[in-house]
Amino acid sequence: MNHRPFEDWLLQDQPLTPEQKRELQSHLQVCTSCTAIAESNLALHSTQKAAPAAGFTERFQARLIQRRREQRWRQVMGSLVLVIGGVALLYWLAGPLVQEMMRSPAEWITAVVGYFLFILTSIQAWSEAGWVLLRVVPNFISPSGWIVLLSVVSGLTILWMFSIRRFTRTPQGV
Ligand SMILES: [Zn+2]
């Protein structure tokens, strides 16, 4: 059987004249191999129709950008709400204190300054005491005394660690 023009028409998938179409139809009725080509062409066309339409990628990207913009907006709004809520909560917690402060700023300032001075002086005192102890204590303790002290401290530390482990283990045993 001669498939020559029909096979070429089907494979090249070119537009046919009505006359050619009629010839092809009559050939397809008697030729299975050309029918197979025609069917595969048909399947190909349907998948091409199912494929993304023109401009799909652009639309998709536009939608993506839009969604990203919405997401960013939501984030901004979320952080704004968080900040406002935090300020409101802070005001609710510290409001009475702030009002108190505003009523008598001088008192409040002297109180704060006094408190800071108290902290500073106590830190100074403690550090001085610590320095004195560090300088004085070694003179009282001999080298062998240091060894005894160290072993006692390390023994206590080990004991403490063991007791902690036992305490933490007890709930699991029960
Ligand atoms: Zn044929």
Side-chain angles (χ1 to χ4, degrees):
M1 201 181 283
N2 185 19
H3 310 289
R4 199 64 232 156
F6 314 112
E7 216 173 35
D8 287 343
W9 293 345
L10 288 170
L11 289 175
Q12 284 162 14
D13 202 23
Q14 58 196 356
L16 305 174
T17 63
E19 180 67 25
Q20 285 174 324
K21 265 182 194 165
R22 211 164 335 116
E23 279 177 44
L24 180 66
Q25 284 303 320
S26 58
H27 176 74
L28 286 177
Q29 277 171 354
V30 293
C31 176
T32 47
S33 78
C34 285
T35 307
I37 294 171
E39 273 170 4
S40 71
N41 268 6
L42 219 70
L44 217 69
H45 277 295
S46 61
T47 50
Q48 272 170 357
K49 258 177 219 160
F56 174 80
T57 318
E58 284 80 358
R59 281 206 302 279
F60 181 75
Q61 279 173 341
R63 217 182 309 154
L64 204 71
I65 288 167
Q66 175 72 19
R67 205 178 303 161
R68 244 179 239 156
R69 205 174 293 155
E70 280 171 8
Q71 220 165 18
R72 205 171 303 151
W73 176 246
R74 229 174 292 147
Q75 276 177 355
V76 166
M77 285 307 284
S79 37
L80 209 71
V81 164
L82 209 71
V83 165
I84 289 171
V87 166
L89 188 71
L90 207 72
Y91 185 76
W92 182 67
L93 286 174
L97 202 70
V98 171
Q99 279 177 351
E100 195 66 38
M101 283 176 196
M102 289 302 166
R103 211 176 298 157
S104 50
E107 253 176 66
W108 168 69
I109 287 166
T110 47
V112 167
V113 169
Y115 185 64
F116 270 108
L117 278 177
F118 164 70
I119 286 177
L120 274 175
T121 46
S122 43
I123 286 171
Q124 211 172 357
W126 275 107
S127 56
E128 267 171 23
W131 272 115
V132 167
L133 274 174
L134 274 176
R135 254 178 294 160
V136 168
V137 166
N139 294 332
F140 284 117
I141 298 172
S142 58
S144 57
W146 271 115
I147 292 167
V148 170
L149 193 71
L150 274 176
S151 54
V152 165
V153 166
S154 54
L156 279 174
T157 307
I158 289 167
L159 213 72
W160 176 66
M161 278 162 75
F162 267 104
S163 68
I164 277 181
R165 198 174 290 174
R166 210 172 45 199
F167 273 123
T168 49
R169 244 186 220 168
T170 310
Q172 287 173 340
V174 175

